[in-house]
């Protein structure tokens, strides 16, 4: 029986159930322990003597070492035969212990932690990590090594032990075991006070146990210790957890039935893989080839596989089957993206592809960089320390794929394409798998899986002919077999003759490389019920990558129930896929076929009606969201020739905005569809209606693009009022982005056009925003004149809500120019007006202004109270954009009273809020405010960190004056006299 060796604690050699007596010589036992830490690897004599005598070996150290080895041999391998599974050998002026690594507990610990890391199931991961951690019985070589020796030979194992403990802690929280985790890990947190990841998890466990106060106290204690002893602020993850606990973020709540959600603090784990096609058969050789590629990866060079071949050969099916098989090896998630390289529409642009991937990794839609290099860099950064599988399906060329590749990491990438993508093989080390049609036996097996083995065995020759007539392409085989499965009494050979006739008919017209698939599609299509056939054709109308059930129902003017039944039939016949519940898409070849059928079988009038129905559905949804989100403003009147049969139930603002979140990726495509079909009125109405959604979800590049499309449509339609409205929306978006000149242009146009057409309401709306732009450009008198004109117009129009908002705008400008009495008087009038009207959102904005006025007056207590009242109202109404401003203002109030801890906490919350909304300007300003706090307390390193963050943001949103201020402050923080020259 072989011996076992335990080094994770006191050194123990175990033979069966008995411990081997190693004697009393500590240094001799220590020598064995050192050799066991590297089993099978020789350690030089000089290194061994240096370690054993702590750099001061005696003159006869080599002789003593030889004696130690001789005695250990007599104990462990007396006849030098390796009978007990261990040998002590001389190698190259050194010694090694020849033993199976799994007989050493340190090796078993590492293996268990590696296996656990690859598991996606939290319960199983916790179990393996618990088993691994149980191997530790104390410090490494506890009875023979000094602390200094442990620091020299064991830091990797000690770090792995702590990382494993953190991973088990997280897995336990994911299983809902927070109460037990608090007890289990309390001591570990105390022993490692600067372990921020551990502290964050412990804070979460305390929070879930109802001990929010203790969780926040732990943060304050750790922060104070970090600042005092290391001169550092807590890292981003720990701050994020602190902020989430402060606001009671629902994502921190204990999971239901063991499913965790730690996305707020640590980012989501995407699980985007669609299900592989039913009846996947064969391809064992290719699956093994992909497995080997993953097993041979070195963790530095990302394994990249390209699966290439003709249409319908099963590239996507193979990639998804393999991805599902190995997803446990990618515990940080799986990303999937259809690049639509050969669809009827344009391939997905790299910038759009990066946007989708970044959203999958938890980046808010309005935080995604607009240009490809920055977005690609952000994507690589997010994947740098994760183990994520990326499936890029249906790529057009190398240029489309290369920006989507991770940097050096433990990720893996699978790309499918009809092209060979030679550049990825040559330049990026991709391994190419050229997929061929199925071998006859695998093609027959696929038919058996769909039709049943008995039916295929009854007509083996016909089954082989069916495989041949389908070119042994999985797509054609599945469609043909699905047809036969609907006809249990039909003979296979009859179906083969039908397919042969279809192929000959196609080949007689043109040399069609996809004739096998198209012949199968012809047969399937013609057997569909007319209503199902009708829906199949009309799905090709939509320009979006996928379509939801309600929109699909709108295409044919049906209820979601009836449309859902038709879609189920299309899924069963393999004509439509459902990559995620309630969203439907088509294989590229099938979409091309559907377009052909649409053009050939659907009268032009019906095609136009389908477009109008789809656009009418989007318009009606956008109008519903508009009315819920902005109750005080009437949307443009819709005149729909084909009103939707059904609309989603949108009960409140949260539900309404969330519904449009799911459609956001296709909104611009729908407006473009309207433009392409000369439905200009519908295009500008949709653009205008979406302004309410963007107001609450953050104006970003896609919203500006929508407004520009809307302006094009309004010009085509000759609708001046619509033109003015969309100029106003574009102006507001530019105001938010601090693009003052662009804002001034759009808002001036909105004012002028409104005056020309005699629209006083539109003029007032434009002037209200124009006043803000004029003040930002230093034109105080012009700004105040604009606001006074707004009050005049709004009084005539009986619009008290706008009067109240304008008084607040005027108060804010008076405040900026130091005229506090006028500011206070107008702000109080505005507050009374909004409270009278019951408008909580506008009330919150005025409360924030009042807080600023009191802050400037030195009445800090009243200022704090006003800011807190404003925060409550802003959170009620979901106004995240304004919430960030108020948080920063409240932080300034705390700073003014000397409560720097509260000030820093609220500045951090403000930064997070602006970050989520992609408001680079405001985020940069708050970083500067926080830097000034650190400068005031002489914490120059922390100040420099904040200023670097502010400057990085400022480079994306240039402002020469603000950048000069930041550079001056940074020079001061670094002690550079040049800073005093600004």
């Amino acid at each position: 029986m072989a011996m076992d060796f335990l080094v994770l604690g006191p050194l123990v050699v175990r033979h069966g159930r008995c411990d081997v007596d190693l004697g009393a010589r500590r240094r001799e036992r220590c020598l064995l322990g050192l050799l066991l830490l590297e089993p099978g690897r020789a350690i030089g004599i000089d290194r061994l003597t240096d370690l054993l005598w702590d750099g001061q070996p005696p003159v006869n150290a080599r002789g003593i070492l030889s004696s130690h080895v001789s005695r250990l041999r007599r104990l462990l391998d007396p006849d030098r035969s390796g009978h007990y599974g261990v040998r002590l050998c001389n190698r190259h002026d050194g010694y090694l212990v020849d033993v199976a690594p799994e007989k050493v507990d340190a090796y078993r610990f590492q293996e268990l932690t590696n296996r656990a890391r690859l598991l996606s199931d939290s319960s199983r991961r916790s179990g393996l990590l618990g088993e691994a951690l149980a191997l530790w019985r104390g410090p490494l070589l506890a009875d023979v090594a000094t602390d200094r020796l442990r620091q020299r030979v064991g830091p990797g194992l000690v770090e792995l032990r702590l990382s494993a403990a953190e991973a088990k802690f997280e897995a336990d929280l994911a299983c809902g075991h927070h109460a037990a985790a608090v007890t289990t890990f309390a001591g570990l947190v105390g022993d490692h006070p600067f372990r921020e990841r551990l502290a964050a998890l412990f804070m979460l466990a305390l929070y879930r146990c109802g001990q929010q106060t203790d969780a926040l106290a732990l943060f304050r204690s750790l922060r104070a210790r970090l600042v005092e002893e290391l001169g550092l602020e807590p890292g981003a993850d720990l701050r994020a957890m602190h902020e989430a606990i402060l606001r009671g973020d629902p994502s921190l709540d204990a999971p239901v039935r063991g499913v965790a959600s730690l996305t707020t603090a640590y980012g989501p784990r995407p699980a985007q893989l669609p299900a592989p096609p039913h009846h996947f058969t064969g391809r064992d050789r290719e699956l093994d080839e992909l497995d080997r590629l993953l097993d041979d990866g070195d963790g530095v060079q990302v394994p990249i596989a390209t699966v290439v071949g003709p249409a319908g050969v099963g590239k996507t099916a193979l990639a998804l089957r393999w991805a599902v098989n190995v997803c446990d090896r990618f515990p940080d998630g799986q990303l999937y993206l259809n690049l639509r390289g050969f669809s009827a529409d344009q391939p997905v642009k790299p910038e759009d592809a990066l946007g989708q991937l970044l959203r999958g990794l938890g980046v808010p839609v309005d935080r995604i960089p607009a240009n490809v290099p920055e977005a690609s860099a952000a994507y690589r950064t997010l994947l740098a320390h994760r183990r994520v599988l990326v499936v890029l399906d249906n790529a057009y060329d190398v240029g489309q794929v290369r920006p989507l590749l991770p940097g050096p990491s433990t990720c893996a990438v699978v790309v499918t394409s009809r092209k060979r993508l030679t550049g990825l093989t040559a330049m990026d080390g991709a391994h190419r798998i050229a997929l061929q049609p199925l071998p006859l036996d695998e093609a027959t097996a696929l038919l058996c899986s769909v039709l049943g083995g008995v039916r295929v065995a009854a007509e083996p020759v016909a089954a082989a002919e069916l495989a041949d007539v389908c070119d042994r392409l999985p797509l054609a085989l599945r469609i043909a077999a699905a047809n036969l499965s609907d006809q249990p009494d039909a003979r296979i050979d009859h179906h083969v003759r039908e397919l042969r006739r279809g192929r000959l008919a196609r080949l007689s017209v043109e040399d069609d490389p996809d004739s096998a698939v198209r012949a199968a599609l012809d047969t399937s299509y013609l057997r569909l019920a007319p209503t199902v056939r009708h829906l199949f054709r009309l799905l090709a109308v939509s320009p979006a990558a996928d379509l939801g059930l309600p929109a699909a129902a709108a295409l044919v003017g049906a209820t979601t129930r009836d449309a859902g039944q038709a879609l189920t039939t299309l899924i069963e016949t393999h004509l439509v896929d459902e990559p995620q519940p309630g969203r439907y898409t088509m294989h590229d070849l099938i979409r091309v076929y559907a377009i052909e059928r649409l053009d050939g079988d659907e009268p032009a009038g019906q095609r136009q009606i389908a477009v109008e129905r789809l656009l009418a559905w989007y318009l009606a949804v956008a109008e519903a969201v508009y009315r819920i989100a902005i109750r005080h403003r009437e949307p443009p009147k819709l005149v729909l020739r084909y009103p939707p049969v059904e609309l989603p139930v949108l009960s409140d603002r949260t539900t309404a905005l969330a519904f449009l979140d799911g459609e956001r990726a296709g909104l611009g495509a729908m407006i473009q569809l309207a433009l392409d079909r000369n439905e200009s009125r519908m295009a500008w109405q949709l653009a205008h209606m979406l302004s309410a959604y963007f107001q609450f979800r953050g104006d970003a590049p896609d919203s500006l693009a929508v407004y520009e499309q809307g302006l094009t449509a309004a010009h085509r339609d000759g609708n001046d009022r619509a033109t003015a409205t969309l100029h106003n929306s574009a102006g507001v978006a530019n105001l938010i982005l601090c693009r003052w000149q662009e804002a001034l242009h759009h808002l001036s146009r909105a004012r002028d056009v409104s005056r020309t057409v005699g629209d006083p309401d539109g003029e007032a709306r434009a002037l209200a925003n124009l006043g803000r732009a004029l003040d930002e450009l230093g034109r105080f008198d012009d700004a105040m004149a604009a606001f006074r004109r707004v009050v005049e117009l709004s009084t005539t129009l009986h619009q008290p809500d706008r009067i109240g908002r304008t008084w607040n705008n005027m108060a804010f400008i008076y405040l900026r120019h130091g005229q506090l009495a006028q500011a206070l008087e107008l702000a109080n009038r505005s507050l009374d007006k909004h409270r009278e009207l019951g408008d909580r959102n506008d009330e919150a904005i005025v409360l924030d202004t009042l807080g600023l006025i009191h802050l400037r007056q030195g009445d800090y207590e009243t200022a704090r109270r006003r800011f807190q009242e404003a925060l409550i109202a802003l959170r009620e109404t979901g106004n995240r954009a304004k919430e960030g401003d108020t948080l920063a203002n409240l932080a300034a109030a705390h700073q003014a009273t000397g409560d720097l801890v509260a000030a820093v906490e609220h500045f951090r919350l403000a930064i997070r809020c602006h970050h989520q909304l992609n408001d680079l300007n405001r985020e940069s300003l708050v970083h500067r405010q926080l830097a000034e706090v650190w400068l005031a307390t002489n914490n120059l390193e922390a100040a420099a960190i904040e200023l670097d963050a502010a400057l990085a943001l400022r480079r994306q949103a240039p402002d020469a004056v603000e950048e000069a201020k930041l550079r001056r402050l940074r020079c001061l923080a670094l002690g550079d006299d040049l800073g005093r020259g600004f």
Side-chain angles (χ1 to χ4, degrees), residues 860-881:
Y860 304 134
E861 187 56 40
T862 303
R864 277 206 309 262
R865 188 167 65 251
R866 289 303 198 189
F867 291 138
Q868 287 163 348
E869 291 172 13
L871 277 177
I872 292 169
L874 289 167
R875 286 166 178 167
E876 284 178 14
T877 59
N879 191 337
R880 291 283 288 159

Side-chain angles (χ1 to χ4, degrees), residues 480-530:
N483 270 320
L484 278 166
S485 66
D486 288 338
Q487 307 170 72
D489 298 327
R491 289 181 56 81
I492 297 175
D493 60 353
H494 291 166
H495 195 59
V496 170
R497 286 196 293 274
E498 189 176 1
L499 287 173
R500 286 193 193 280
R501 284 196 299 272
R503 288 198 64 177
L504 286 171
R506 284 192 169 275
L507 290 171
S508 67
V509 177
E510 59 179 341
D511 185 11
D512 187 350
D514 303 321
S515 59
V517 176
R518 289 167 180 267
L521 286 169
D522 283 338
T523 308
S524 288
Y525 171 77
L526 292 171
R527 288 206 172 102
L528 295 172

Side-chain angles (χ1 to χ4, degrees), residues 174-227:
C175 296
H177 302 155
H178 40 274
V182 167
T183 303
T184 303
F185 292 96
L188 192 64
V189 174
D191 291 341
H192 301 277
F194 298 126
R195 193 86 179 179
E196 293 192 26
R197 173 70 169 152
L198 192 59
L201 292 168
F202 198 67
M203 286 169 63
L204 178 59
L206 288 170
Y207 175 78
R208 288 184 177 175
C209 290
Q211 301 176 45
Q212 181 178 5
T213 303
D214 292 341
L216 295 173
L218 175 62
F219 176 83
R220 289 194 296 271
S221 172
L222 176 57
R223 181 194 166 277
R225 193 164 179 180
L226 281 167
V227 172

Side-chain angles (χ1 to χ4, degrees), residues 231-347:
L232 297 174
E233 282 293 313
D237 284 350
L238 191 60
R239 295 199 308 268
M241 179 61 74
H242 178 234
E243 293 162 8
I245 290 173
L246 275 173
R247 66 174 181 272
D249 196 313
S251 69
L252 299 184
D253 293 344
V256 179
R257 295 190 299 277
V259 179
S261 176
L262 300 178
T263 58
T264 293
Y266 301 109
R269 295 181 179 86
Q272 298 182 346
L273 294 177
H278 295 304
H279 314 299
F280 180 89
T281 305
R283 304 297 194 194
D284 292 338
R285 181 182 63 79
E286 291 85 355
L287 290 169
D288 289 343
E289 199 171 342
L290 286 166
D291 283 340
R292 285 195 298 274
L293 178 68
L294 193 59
D295 292 337
D296 293 343
D298 58 12
V300 176
Q301 179 64 42
V302 177
I304 304 171
T306 57
V307 180
V308 301
V313 79
K315 303 180 292 295
T316 299
L318 172 67
L320 291 179
R321 168 53 60 196
W322 179 77
V324 168
N325 288 347
V326 301
C327 66
D328 277 354
R329 299 178 66 175
F330 296 91
D332 293 319
Q334 306 86 41
L335 292 166
Y336 171 83
L337 183 59
N338 183 355
L339 295 173
R340 307 180 74 191
F342 300 91
S343 68
D345 305 310
Q346 292 295 315

Side-chain angles (χ1 to χ4, degrees), residues 758-771:
D759 179 8
D761 178 67
E763 182 183 352
R765 189 164 56 248
L767 282 167
N769 296 314
L770 184 59

